[in-house]
Amino acid sequence: MSFRTTLHCAVIGNPIAHSRSPEIHHAFAKQCGLKVQYERMLADNNDFADHVRAFFAQGGKGMNVTVPFKEKAFALATQHSDQAQLAGAANTLWMQDGQLHACNTDGIGLVSDLTRLGFDPANKRVLLIGAGGAAKGVLLPLLNAGVAQLRIINRTAAKAEALVEQMTQHQADYASRLEAGDLQHIAGQWDIVINATSSSLTQQSPIAQPIAFTAHSLAYDMVYGPKPTPFMEACSSYGASQCADGLGMLVAQAAQSFQIWHGVLPDTTPVLNDLRQQITL
Ligand code: ATR
């Protein structure tokens, strides 16, 4: 029998059955000697807020939020981190002093995974493809990590331009490092190219022409799966020195949420290795 208090956590989304978050958080908890019970919660647009309120009213410690509720989670919270504020979306909720707090750990998760792969974004030239929710969530952490240049390109260029506008309104001196364009706007040599579009879900690469990579370069797809994505395959043929999918980002964003709720940052490596094995089995 254990005398440790059970810490109740959950991930809410729709669909949710596929979520790997429970096994990731249970593995972190084991590593840190905490007793965490982390469940999946299915919601719809009408009952999302009720589920969140009931969870915290019953003493829930922390909740992750996934598609399609990240914007709703942001709107429900009364306290927002800068990352959540700029993304207009939250993946991490917790209650503190009677207030619902929201953070977005996706971007810090990405930066931490890039660093794990040997590509600390500081002083790097970064090409970010996509201007939807996934791209928006990682802009501030990439800028804060000290990228030398960040060019956002998107099929609908106006959306990329709007993101640059929003970021420079937040902080004017970002302007010198930020650019926007359409998917043809790839001239230059890139250290890190990130696919934040949903194109991999339809087995396509968002880029149809060769990208120029530097000698030590990384192509990173935020999507993950058992095989390299079409984007990773295309970048490999264009000369990227390394390609990675987003499994490491998934584990790293979970580690950041875990730290917010439980005050300790777990080691992602063993958890990522286990997950990779399960996914490629
Ligand atoms: P998410 O929250 O996953 O970012 P989203 O907000 O719907 O989802 O955004 C999807 C992103 O993928 C957008 O940048 C979209 O481009 P548009 O803004 O032009 O729609 C991009 N996208 C989706 N399918 C694509 C494809 N086949 N090629 C290129 N970009 C694609």
Side-chain angles (χ1 to χ4, degrees):
M1 185 172 140
S2 166
F3 292 97
R4 289 175 299 175
T5 314
T6 301
L7 303 159
H8 292 275
C9 297
V11 57
I12 189 165
N14 191 340
I16 200 62
H18 67 286
S19 173
R20 299 270 177 179
S21 293
E23 59 195 283
I24 296 172
H25 280 267
H26 287 148
F28 288 161
K30 196 170 168 196
Q31 191 191 105
C32 299
L34 294 174
K35 198 171 165 192
V36 170
Q37 194 181 321
Y38 189 113
E39 59 175 303
R40 295 181 183 87
M41 210 179 268
L42 181 68
D44 61 39
N45 272 324
N46 299 321
D47 64 11
F48 168 76
D50 291 341
H51 277 298
V52 175
R53 288 197 193 99
F55 174 79
F56 286 108
Q58 287 159 20
K61 182 78 181 164
M63 188 179 249
N64 282 129
V65 183
T66 186
V67 176
F69 299 126
K70 291 184 182 184
E71 284 84 6
K72 275 188 185 297
F74 174 82
L76 197 61
T78 50
Q79 300 292 319
H80 306 99
S81 68
D82 279 356
Q83 288 92 337
Q85 191 74 48
L86 275 169
N91 72 342
T92 306
L93 297 173
W94 70 102
M95 198 59 92
Q96 199 176 311
D97 304 324
Q99 305 246 29
L100 186 62
H101 286 245
C103 187
N104 191 325
T105 64
D106 287 333
I108 314 168
L110 171 67
V111 168
S112 136
D113 201 40
L114 295 176
T115 306
R116 176 188 69 85
L117 291 162
F119 291 85
D120 177 343
N123 303 314
K124 299 288 195 303
R125 300 190 64 214
V126 179
L127 182 65
L128 178 68
I129 311 167
K136 214 171 164 180
V138 301
L139 292 179
L140 185 66
L142 283 171
L143 286 160
N144 285 346
V147 294
Q149 184 187 3
L150 180 57
R151 186 184 296 167
I152 309 166
I153 59 171
N154 195 42
R155 187 171 57 183
T156 315
K159 279 167 71 179
E161 283 153 15
L163 283 188
V164 168
E165 174 73 25
Q166 187 198 353
M167 293 308 292
T168 48
Q169 268 173 12
H170 173 72
Q171 200 161 313
D173 67 7
Y174 287 157
S176 60
R177 296 189 282 150
L178 271 173
E179 283 176 73
D182 61 21
L183 294 178
Q184 276 72 51
H185 193 48
I186 56 169
Q189 268 209 316
W190 303 98
D191 300 305
I192 303 175
V193 180
I194 301 166
N195 183 17
T197 73
S198 43
S199 69
S200 299
L201 304 177
T202 51
Q203 292 304 310
Q204 287 174 291
S205 169
I207 298 290
Q209 78 244 62
I211 298 171
F213 285 92
T214 58
H216 178 62
S217 54
L218 173 72
Y220 193 97
D221 201 326
M222 286 197 198
V223 169
Y224 66 85
K227 307 188 290 186
T229 66
F231 166 78
M232 288 161 67
E233 282 184 331
C235 289
S236 176
S237 76
Y238 301 153
S241 13
Q242 210 173 314
C243 295
D245 73 6
L247 193 66
M249 176 178 168
L250 174 77
V251 177
Q253 63 76 31
Q256 296 290 330
S257 298
F258 191 94
Q259 185 182 33
I260 289 173
W261 301 330
H262 310 305
V264 47
L265 185 65
D267 180 4
T268 55
T269 309
V271 180
L272 177 56
N273 290 344
D274 281 356
L275 209 51
R276 177 67 70 197
Q277 258 193 339
Q278 286 174 35
I279 279 171
T280 46
L281 274 180

